[in-house]
Amino acid sequence: MKKIAISKKIYASILEHANNELPNEACGLIAGTEDENTRTIEKVYMLTNVDKSPEHFSLSPSEQLLTVKDIRANGLKLLGNWHSHPSSPSRPSAEDIRLAFDRSMSYLILSLMNRNEPVLNSFHIENGTSTQEEIYFTGE
């Protein structure tokens, strides 16, 4: 299992976007680099939750396409996606697991259940099983 490195600045931008989207789930994609042991998130993309729901999300297809083009143009790799859980823990729901089609991706979930103590976790999901990935914060 790979470790996930994320800067405090990128985390803060995810948290801000998730709070701005309340009461609905917020979502997006993450991109960066990886080596044998670590995926380093270098850029986060805030996408529209076209479902506009507090219980599930769907990424905007047109925004996904533009994001993948930008990732490639910047020489980065798509590492996975992220979404928020406005009122549930930072763990994959049954729907999250069912919809996790790409086992090469990391799935970050930000829980805003306790607004004073948000929790960000990352998961590897494969064959209906989720395994928590180690996540650590870098920089400022």
Side-chain angles (χ1 to χ4, degrees):
M1 212 58 48
K2 295 196 181 213
K3 295 178 183 176
I4 308 298
I6 183 171
S7 72
K8 292 175 185 170
K9 183 177 180 180
I10 288 175
Y11 169 72
S13 67
I14 291 172
L15 181 59
E16 179 181 15
H17 183 69
N19 277 313
N20 288 340
E21 293 299 306
L22 288 171
N24 297 323
E25 288 191 1
C27 57
L29 295 173
I30 55 172
T33 58
E34 69 178 326
D35 60 27
E36 272 185 40
N37 303 312
T38 306
R39 288 184 164 165
T40 302
I41 299 171
E42 296 183 23
K43 194 165 184 181
V44 64
Y45 297 86
M46 312 308 177
L47 277 64
T48 302
N49 176 358
V50 296
D51 293 342
K52 299 196 182 316
S53 167
E55 297 173 356
H56 51 90
F57 74 98
S58 293
L59 300 170
S60 161
S62 60
E63 290 176 359
Q64 283 184 71
L65 181 61
L66 292 172
T67 297
V68 170
K69 286 181 178 180
D70 187 76
I71 290 168
R72 290 179 181 154
N74 284 291
L76 300 174
K77 178 179 180 178
L78 177 63
L79 300 176
N81 70 39
W82 72 271
H83 73 279
S84 63
H85 281 181
S87 58
S88 60
S90 177
R91 64 175 179 250
S93 67
E95 182 177 80
D96 293 335
I97 292 171
R98 182 176 55 81
L99 296 174
F101 295 113
D102 191 340
R103 67 180 190 209
S104 71
M105 297 288 113
S106 290
Y107 298 90
L108 277 67
I109 300 174
L110 174 67
S111 173
L112 299 173
M113 194 166 78
N114 179 345
R115 302 282 191 269
N116 295 323
E117 293 181 33
V119 176
L120 180 68
N121 286 310
S122 182
F123 299 89
H124 172 85
I125 302 174
E126 186 171 355
N127 298 323
T129 301
S130 71
T131 306
Q132 190 166 341
E133 298 174 313
E134 181 181 341
I135 189 168
Y136 66 94
F137 296 94
T138 63
E140 297 178 29

